Each structure stands twice: as C-alpha cells, then as structure tokens.
Amino acid sequence: NGSYYYSNTETNNNNRTNRINLLPTGNTNTLAESKTKSISDGHSIAMDFEIKIDSTTTLYLSPSFTKNEIKNKNSGFDATFDESGTALNENTSNNSWSSTNNNFKNSLYFYKQLNKKGKGLSLSISNENSKNDSDLFTKTTTTFFQSGNSNDERNQFRVDASKNDSYRFEMGYNQPLKDSLVLNLKTVYNYKKSNDIRETYDFDNGLNSYSNFNDLLSNDITSSISSITPMVGISIRKKKIRGSISMGTEIINFNNQSNYLSNTTTVNKNYMYPKMNGYLSITLGKSKSIYSYYSYQVNLPNANQILPFENLANPLNTIIGNADIKPNENYSLYTNFNNYDYATRSGFYAYAGGDYNVNQIVASTTYDADFKATTTYQNVDRAYNTYVGFSLNKSLKKEKRTFK
C-alpha cells in the first residue's frame, strides 16, 4: 500500500494582547501587537508492505518521507509597564524567516512463530531521521528605561541547521506457560543524537552585507542518548480478562556538549532506573468493560536545559541551562469504564487518571528593573495532576427522526 499527500496553506494573523504579569515583587502589564503572514508547502509519502515468508514467518515494512517548506514574515511591537504605568521596556521587531524540513521514518517488524502455539520470536527495528535548515533576517530594537542599560539594536542574518537521528532495536521472545499465561522476555536498545548549529552575522554598513560574525549569538550544541532496557513480563489472555505486566531496568548514557565563545562545555551523565508498565482489561458483559493502565518512566532534560551556557537570542530573555538538573520520574495511572451499545448507539463512558512526578523539570525566571528576564531550569520535588470525565449518549427515535 502507498499514499501521497500534498498540502499548501497560507495564513494571515493579526494579534493584539494585553497581559498582566503576576509577580511576587509587583505586577506588570505588557501590551503587544503583531502581524504574521505564513506560507507553507508540504509533501508526504507513506508505504507499507506485509511479506509472508512462510506459514510461520511474517515481515512488515513501513517507510515514510515528509518535506515541508515554510516562509514567514512577522512584525511586532510590545511594551511593559509597572503598576503605576511607568515604562520598563519596549521592543519592536521585523523578521523574515524561511525553513526547509525533511523527515524520513521507517519501521521493520519480523515475527517467527515457533513450534508451540503462542511461542514466538520477534525483532523490530525503527528509525527517524530529520534535518531542518532555516534562515532568518531580523531587525529588532529593544529599549530599557529603568536600569540605565544600553539599548539593544540588532540587524542580523541568522542560519540554523538542526539534525536529529533516532534508532530503536527490540528483540522479544514469548514462551507459553500454562492455561492462558505467557512469559514475555525482551530487550530494547535506543539511540538518539541531535546537533544544532547556529551562526549569526551582523550587518556591515561599509560592505552593505551581513558579514560580521557575532560569536555572542552563535553556538554549536550536540547531544546523544543511548539506553538499553532488558525486561521480563507476564501476560494473560482469557475470554473476558486480558492483561500484562512488565518490569526491567533502564541503563542510560547521556552526553551533551556545547561550543560557545571558543569554550567547550561538556555535561555527561549515567543513570540506572527501574522501568515498569502494565494493563488490565475486563469484559463485564456484551457492552460493558473496564480498562486500566499503569506506567513508570524517566524523562531526561534536553541539551538546552542541562548545558550551562547563555542563550542570548531573545533580547528580553536570557536562558541558562543547569548542569545539576535531575531527570523527571513519572508515575501514570489511567482507568475507564465503557458501557456502550453499538446497536442502539447509546451508552455511558467514564474515565479518570493522574500523573505523579518526582523532580519535575520547570523553568525558573527572574526579572531585573527593566523587566528583562533570566531563565534557568530547576526540579520541583513533588508534583501531581488528576483528571476525570464522562460522556453519555442516547438515541431517541420519533417517527422518521432520530435525536442524539
């Protein structure tokens, strides 16, 4: 099977914002206006193949490729005042931006059924490779009214090149035990690498070109993550009950490097965490069922969050990473009850869930007298969120009309 899609969009957006910033040191008010015009072209190709090698061996292959080109023009103005109406800063900008993104994905799945029913060997390989190149012509003027700091005027050309590669290898083995129980063994290897290069050039009036390299606004960031996760699990498959639980250990190698102002900063970390997930599905009747899912996983910070160098791209917000930041540990639980009759198109559905996070990664921002921000990243020791919802459907027929 194969498919091809082409998309073309053009959007114009005029935006006006009046924002109150609630701060412990006193509220501020920001007024902002912007105009944006964006044109994008997209191409998407996808294919999938199923190859039956013999009665016990199957191979699946599903490659896809997408390409997107975007052109964007933006102009804006914003000003910030304190509670008494005194001006703190103002910023005007005029930007012209273009971007080209190429993305290739592929997944391969191989399954070999062995001599006993339910006994089998599986192998899956997947990859995603993307490349993004963008150019930005930007003119900005930022005025500071309170601190006496000099104004920030920029007339620049910026080139960004990003490359991301990820690979996943998984090998599994299923061994029936007794009745409806199956022993599941698998090992997963993940590898991700990203490289982001930014080069900024100031306008040279004498040469009438963007030829002055700005090292303060240029950097090169490389990050890689490799992990191996052996897991063991048990699954059950009965007429009315299905479920599984898997447990293992995730061993992670996390390497990050930045080149900025001729200085190389390296932050390398090694972690070992447990990994667990499971689900249970119970059929209570013809249209009634209960489903529950639980998982524990670790989310690493990205390179910009952990590398402690100054990102000065935004004249109103300097971003600095934190080398001591810890990974986020997430505990997630979800359950639902479904009682829907497809014949009458009526029923009830309810769901509830929540997340509990240890060392959740959050942005921490402070402001100076001009309301210029400095942002870094910190861990919140404990954080949680919960949600609940339901839906009710009922079809009523009166003569030839149906009401829902």
Side-chain angles (χ1 to χ4, degrees):
N1 296 322
S3 63
Y4 168 77
Y5 294 96
Y6 169 74
S7 63
N8 175 268
T9 60
E10 180 174 336
T11 59
N12 292 277
N13 183 39
N14 296 329
N15 185 62
R16 179 177 294 178
T17 303
N18 187 346
R19 185 180 72 244
I20 297 177
N21 310 295
L22 305 177
L23 300 172
T25 55
N27 300 339
T28 62
N29 181 218
T30 299
L31 304 176
E33 294 184 8
S34 65
K35 293 182 179 180
T36 304
K37 180 179 181 179
S38 180
I39 301 173
S40 65
D41 282 289
H43 304 268
S44 177
I45 301 173
M47 293 178 287
D48 61 87
F49 306 93
E50 179 180 349
I51 304 171
K52 197 77 173 178
I53 299 174
D54 55 40
S55 61
T56 62
T57 309
T58 306
L59 181 68
Y60 299 91
L61 186 66
S62 56
S64 65
F65 175 78
T66 60
K67 180 176 182 178
N68 292 291
E69 295 179 335
I70 302 173
K71 294 183 178 180
N72 182 294
K73 289 186 177 182
N74 170 272
S75 61
F77 170 81
D78 61 82
T80 299
F81 308 86
D82 65 14
E83 290 179 298
S84 64
T86 302
L88 302 178
N89 68 61
E90 66 179 29
N91 176 266
T92 59
S93 62
N94 197 322
N95 302 313
S96 178
W97 176 75
S98 63
S99 172
T100 300
N101 179 266
N102 295 294
N103 181 277
F104 173 73
K105 291 182 182 180
N106 186 44
S107 62
L108 182 149
Y109 178 76
F110 171 86
Y111 181 76
K112 173 67 175 179
Q113 181 181 331
L114 302 178
N115 55 358
K116 188 176 181 181
K117 184 178 180 181
K119 185 177 182 180
L121 182 69
S122 63
L123 173 68
S124 66
I125 303 172
S126 61
N127 66 279
E128 181 172 0
N129 310 95
S130 65
K131 184 179 180 182
N132 183 280
D133 296 307
S134 64
D135 298 334
L136 171 67
F137 291 93
T138 179
K139 291 183 179 181
T140 64
T141 300
T142 306
T143 305
F144 304 107
F145 294 108
Q146 298 301 316
S147 66
N149 290 334
S150 58
N151 298 335
D152 189 325
E153 295 189 13
R154 304 183 183 185
N155 182 5
Q156 296 169 336
F157 172 61
R158 194 179 80 194
V159 180
D160 290 287
S162 298
K163 187 177 181 182
N164 295 276
D165 299 297
S166 64
Y167 302 91
R168 175 184 171 90
F169 303 87
E170 179 178 327
M171 180 175 287
Y173 173 74
N174 299 327
Q175 173 64 53
L177 299 177
K178 62 178 182 178
D179 193 13
S180 303
L181 292 177
V182 177
L183 174 68
N184 311 118
L185 302 173
K186 72 175 181 180
T187 299
V188 180
Y189 174 76
N190 281 292
Y191 178 77
K192 296 180 180 180
K193 185 176 181 179
S194 64
N195 180 231
D196 299 292
I197 300 174
R198 171 168 293 177
E199 295 180 350
T200 304
Y201 299 88
D202 294 325
F203 187 76
D204 188 313
N205 291 312
L207 298 176
N208 196 33
S209 65
Y210 294 92
S211 54
N212 293 333
F213 184 73
N214 189 322
D215 54 357
L216 284 172
L217 300 180
S218 302
N219 54 65
D220 183 351
I221 300 172
T222 302
S223 178
S224 67
I225 303 171
S226 61
S227 67
I228 186 167
T229 310
M231 298 190 73
V232 59
I234 294 287
S235 61
I236 182 172
R237 288 179 176 267
K238 290 190 173 184
K239 184 176 181 180
K240 293 187 176 181
I241 299 177
R242 290 193 174 193
S244 71
I245 183 170
S246 298
M247 294 177 288
T249 301
E250 186 173 17
I251 303 168
I252 306 170
N253 179 250
F254 185 33
N255 298 321
N256 302 273
Q257 180 177 292
S258 65
N259 294 311
Y260 179 62
L261 296 176
S262 301
N263 294 320
T264 299
T265 302
T266 301
V267 178
N268 296 332
K269 304 281 186 177
N270 294 307
Y271 304 107
M272 183 181 293
Y273 285 98
K275 193 173 182 68
M276 179 178 178
N277 59 70
Y279 82 94
L280 180 65
S281 178
I282 303 175
T283 301
L284 303 175
K286 181 180 179 181
S287 60
K288 296 180 182 180
S289 64
I290 296 175
Y291 174 83
S292 295
Y293 175 81
Y294 169 81
S295 72
Y296 167 84
Q297 63 180 3
V298 173
N299 301 307
L300 299 179
N302 61 44
N304 286 295
Q305 292 172 329
I306 202 170
L307 285 167
F309 75 95
E310 291 187 330
N311 183 341
L312 304 173
N314 186 340
L316 288 174
N317 188 9
T318 299
I319 300 175
I320 306 172
N322 178 4
D324 296 322
I325 201 168
K326 299 176 182 178
N328 167 229
E329 300 176 54
N330 173 260
Y331 302 80
S332 182
L333 178 65
Y334 171 81
T335 187
N336 69 51
F337 171 75
N338 186 29
N339 183 13
Y340 186 82
D341 187 353
Y342 287 92
T344 62
R345 297 182 180 180
S346 302
F348 176 77
Y349 177 79
Y351 62 91
D355 290 276
Y356 178 70
N357 291 282
V358 178
N359 294 321
Q360 185 173 14
I361 300 171
V362 299
S364 175
T365 304
T366 58
Y367 298 89
D368 64 11
D370 295 313
F371 199 67
K372 181 180 179 182
T374 300
T375 299
T376 188
Y377 299 94
Q378 297 180 354
N379 290 115
V380 174
D381 188 32
R382 301 284 189 273
Y384 66 90
N385 71 283
T386 58
Y387 54 90
V388 63
F390 70 92
S391 65
L392 180 64
N393 297 279
K394 183 69 176 177
S395 295
L396 302 174
K397 288 187 177 181
K398 185 177 181 181
E399 296 179 356
K400 296 182 179 181
R401 298 179 180 178
T402 299
F403 301 90
K404 295 182 180 180

